Amino acid sequence: MKPADLDGGAINYDGPGLSKEGMHHSRVAPANTVLMVCIGATLGKVNVTDRTICFNQQINAVTPYADGIHRFIALALKASGFQELAWSKAGTGTLPIISKGKWEVLPIPLPPLSEQQRIVAKADELMVLCERLEASLTTADDTRRCLLEALLAEALAPDEERELEAAE
C-alpha cells in the first residue's frame, strides 16, 4: 500500500504488490488494521484493511489486539480533534509530514468496549441516513434539471409551436 491507495472510503488493492522476498523487508499488517496517511495533502486519510497487507513508510498503522475495536479506532482517527492534532504535529516544509515518532504518541480515546460499540452503531446509523439523503438530493437534482430543460425548451420554442400547443 502507498498513500494513493487509501482514499478514506476504500482501499485500492490492485497495485503491483510485493514479492515474498519484498514482504520480508516490509511492514506487514493483518486484516482489521487501521491505516492513516502521514504525508502530503492526503495526510489524515484513514482506512481499515480487510486482508493482510504491506505498506510503505508514508503510512502509519494501529493494529488492535482486541477483536472488534478497529471500527471505533478508525472513527477516532477520522474525528476532527485527532485530525487537527495530527496536522498540528506535522512538519511544515515543502510537504507536510508527521513522523512515526510524533504520530504514535497522539492520544486516541478508548472508552469502554460497550460505549465503543454504541458509538460505531450510531455512526453506521447516521451513515445510512447520509446515503439516503445523498440519493434523495441526486433525485431532486435530476428532477430540477428535467423541469429546467422543459421550461427552457418551451420558452425557446418558436411562437408558432407555442400557439399550436396552446390550441391543443
Side-chain angles (χ1 to χ4, degrees):
M1 296 286 113
K2 57 190 179 299
D5 295 326
L6 309 180
D7 74 3
I11 296 177
N12 176 13
Y13 291 104
D14 295 332
L18 288 175
S19 65
K20 292 227 186 254
E21 174 75 23
M23 203 169 132
H24 293 296
H25 300 286
S26 297
R27 296 190 292 172
V28 179
N32 298 326
T33 293
V34 183
L35 305 175
M36 186 174 124
V37 176
C38 290
I39 190 168
T42 59
L43 189 146
K45 283 192 178 176
V46 175
N47 288 89
V48 177
T49 64
D50 65 5
R51 62 192 80 168
T52 299
I53 56 105
C54 293
F55 57 99
N56 72 20
Q57 70 278 8
Q58 298 169 335
I59 297 171
N60 286 328
V62 175
T63 303
Y65 290 102
D67 287 336
I69 69 169
H70 61 279
R71 294 183 65 215
F72 176 81
I73 290 174
L75 286 174
L77 297 187
K78 289 178 182 180
S80 60
F82 187 88
Q83 290 283 315
E84 289 168 11
L85 188 57
W87 275 91
S88 75
K89 300 294 183 187
T92 55
T94 55
L95 195 61
I97 184 169
I98 182 168
S99 69
K100 184 171 177 154
K102 288 181 181 177
W103 187 82
E104 65 188 6
V105 296
L106 296 176
I108 300 173
L110 282 178
L113 186 57
S114 61
E115 183 67 7
Q116 291 177 37
Q117 292 167 339
R118 190 191 69 72
I119 291 168
V120 168
K122 189 61 160 177
D124 288 347
E125 189 180 307
L126 292 171
M127 287 307 296
V128 168
L129 289 175
C130 288
E131 289 167 5
R132 283 189 199 148
L133 179 58
E134 185 177 13
S136 173
L137 291 172
T138 300
T139 301
D141 284 347
D142 291 344
T143 301
R144 280 194 294 280
R145 191 174 15 267
C146 288
L147 287 172
L148 178 61
E149 288 172 5
L151 286 170
L152 286 173
E154 185 177 326
L156 298 175
D159 289 336
E160 304 86 46
E161 282 184 36
R162 280 197 299 253
E163 289 171 8
L164 286 174
E165 287 175 5
E168 293 175 359

